[in-house]
Amino acid sequence: MSQTVGKTRLAYSRTWHYIDIGNDPRPLGRIATSIAVTLMGKNKPIWDPSTDCGDYVVAVGCHDLHVTGKKRQQKQYYTHSTRPGSLKQMSMDHMIEKWGGGEVLKRAVRGMLPKNRLRDKRLARLKVFEGPDHPYKDNVVRFKGEPFRNGQVLEAIQAAKSIPGPTTSTAAS
């Protein structure tokens, strides 16, 4: 049997997912896990570890990031420039006030992606925004894994279906 059955261009097409972090009751780790699975494409039947078949994710409302326990004060993020004495640390609270909750979310998702050549390409498909506004409104198709129920999208689909095609009429004299 052929290995290419079902692996069509349509199967590899990328979908845009929308996640509202501020209104999601899940903590940071649970949200990051679901985002990582979507970026990798593990929820698709054509998933293969060596191919990049994941989707785009638009995360809005990152300023209301929810974590459990005392992680905001106690969790530390480290950076090092490989020079002696250049180890720097920053708490999650300080990182959120300096760079926003989007950076914390990106670091959490980055740690959950496989450490290979595809990690940066997958992470580039994660679009994070502090507030509710984002420039990808026309691209978003799925909301929390379900088809997006935006009135504009449904109206556009219905309008496209109702547009009559070219008709050929023969004029009888």
Side-chain angles (χ1 to χ4, degrees), residues 69-84:
K70 297 181 181 177
K71 289 184 187 75
R72 274 197 186 264
Q73 293 82 26
Q74 292 179 350
K75 179 159 179 57
Q76 299 291 319
Y77 291 96
Y78 297 95
T79 57
H80 199 285
S81 69
T82 69
R83 305 280 298 173

Side-chain angles (χ1 to χ4, degrees), residues 106-146:
K106 276 188 175 183
R107 285 187 181 222
V109 172
R110 181 180 173 84
M112 293 184 185
L113 291 173
K115 282 64 173 177
N116 57 20
R117 62 184 175 82
L118 297 174
R119 179 161 66 167
D120 291 333
K121 292 178 184 178
R122 289 171 174 162
L123 196 62
R125 288 196 305 270
L126 172 62
K127 313 294 182 186
V128 294
F129 299 96
E130 296 300 312
D133 298 328
H134 62 91
Y136 303 107
K137 289 184 173 99
D138 295 336
N139 298 352
V140 173
V141 178
R142 301 185 77 76
F143 177 68
K144 293 184 180 177
E146 299 298 322

